[in-house]
Amino acid sequence: MSVTKELIVVKDLHKNFGDLEVLKGIDQTIHQGEVVSIIGPSGSGKSTFLRCLNLLEKPSSGQIIFEGIDIAAENVDIDTHRKKIGMIFQHFNLYNSRTIYDNIAFPLKHLGWSKDKIQKRVLELLELIDLVERKDSYPSQLSGGQKQRVAIARALANNPKVLLCDEATSALDPQTTQSILQLIKKVNKEFGLTVILITHEMAVVKEVCDKVAVMEDGRVV
């Protein structure tokens, strides 16, 4: 995927929790189609930065310009913005009482998609993650790698512009990590999806990333 236009431009981003300043003026530009890794020691602000990008945390000051709109501004429609962003977590965050099919379908039902449209999209995604035959299984019946594949499919359900990955491979063994990275590379190449991932693993950085941002003490250094 050739890098094209600027998708996210972060300017002088700050985030405080009470008296604690966690982000101390971050400037970062992410282009459409890039795979960007954010690395750094624990407590450097990586997860807070990621959570600001999908407004799970509201920045204290600064700008996050996403497709030309400052989403950190007061009047932004958070729900509209979040539809453009998929997120996967270290611990999968699947619904244990729902089948794999229903886990992937869940965000689409929430958005009011028709049953036929949901079925078509979920089956496409099951094909992508190579788990069609497990659609009626429950998360407890899957391996860690399979659960993370389902989490990726759910994050991709409504065709987001950006996929945020918070330590998405750190709970997995090296072989499974490799298969998840191949899947992330595949969705980046096939769909032109921009990927921003937090990791501690340099092997992950070497395998998939176009660009690396190193964070330390709330800043990109």
Side-chain angles (χ1 to χ4, degrees):
M1 176 71 195
S2 59
V3 172
T4 51
K5 64 176 184 176
E6 293 175 347
L7 183 69
I8 302 171
V9 181
V10 178
K11 297 181 179 179
D12 196 27
L13 189 71
H14 290 256
K15 176 62 183 174
N16 300 339
F17 294 100
D19 294 334
L20 180 66
E21 189 179 22
V22 177
L23 301 181
K24 304 176 180 179
I26 289 182
D27 296 294
Q28 193 69 22
T29 299
I30 295 161
H31 294 84
Q32 190 173 315
E34 275 186 326
V35 181
V36 179
S37 175
I38 302 169
I39 64 171
S42 294
S44 58
K46 304 184 300 295
S47 289
T48 300
F49 177 46
L50 209 65
R51 289 169 68 84
C52 283
L53 293 180
N54 67 356
L55 300 179
L56 286 173
E57 299 289 355
K58 186 80 172 152
S60 301
S61 64
Q63 293 180 299
I64 303 172
I65 298 162
F66 187 103
E67 294 191 311
I69 295 167
D70 181 11
I71 61 165
E74 284 304 316
N75 58 351
V76 77
D77 181 346
I78 290 176
D79 287 340
T80 298
H81 169 64
R82 284 209 187 118
K83 287 174 190 171
K84 299 178 183 179
I85 294 186
M87 189 154 184
I88 56 174
F89 302 88
Q90 180 178 349
H91 297 298
F92 322 128
N93 285 22
L94 300 177
Y95 297 104
N96 290 322
S97 60
R98 296 173 190 264
T99 63
I100 301 316
Y101 181 99
D102 287 333
N103 263 282
I104 299 171
F106 182 78
L108 303 179
K109 288 176 181 170
H110 184 65
L111 291 170
W113 284 33
S114 71
K115 199 172 177 181
D116 288 349
K117 202 175 165 192
I118 288 172
Q119 184 178 32
K120 182 174 183 288
R121 181 61 179 152
V122 172
L123 291 175
E124 283 172 1
L125 289 163
L126 285 165
E127 195 91 38
L128 175 75
I129 64 171
D130 202 20
L131 285 175
V132 175
E133 75 288 353
R134 302 305 299 270
K135 69 183 174 69
D136 297 321
S137 299
Y138 288 85
S140 61
Q141 298 169 302
L142 302 185
S143 69
Q146 288 171 327
K147 288 177 190 174
Q148 196 58 288
R149 285 173 173 274
V150 174
I152 291 171
R154 184 183 59 188
L156 297 176
N158 65 323
N159 295 303
K161 300 286 182 75
V162 181
L163 182 63
L164 305 180
C165 309
D166 193 357
E167 300 276 7
T169 59
S170 62
L172 305 173
D173 64 65
Q175 191 176 352
T176 308
T177 292
Q178 194 61 33
S179 75
I180 294 299
L181 294 179
Q182 292 302 326
L183 179 58
I184 288 172
K185 274 207 292 201
K186 184 177 178 181
V187 298
N188 167 250
K189 294 275 184 293
E190 287 187 16
F191 308 124
L193 186 68
T194 305
V195 181
I196 304 171
L197 55 92
I198 290 177
T199 184
H200 286 292
E201 302 161 273
M202 288 311 293
V204 172
V205 175
K206 289 177 186 171
E207 182 72 32
V208 295
C209 295
D210 301 311
K211 189 164 82 177
V212 181
V214 182
M215 287 190 68
E216 193 175 300
D217 192 31
R219 296 182 175 89
V220 173
V221 295

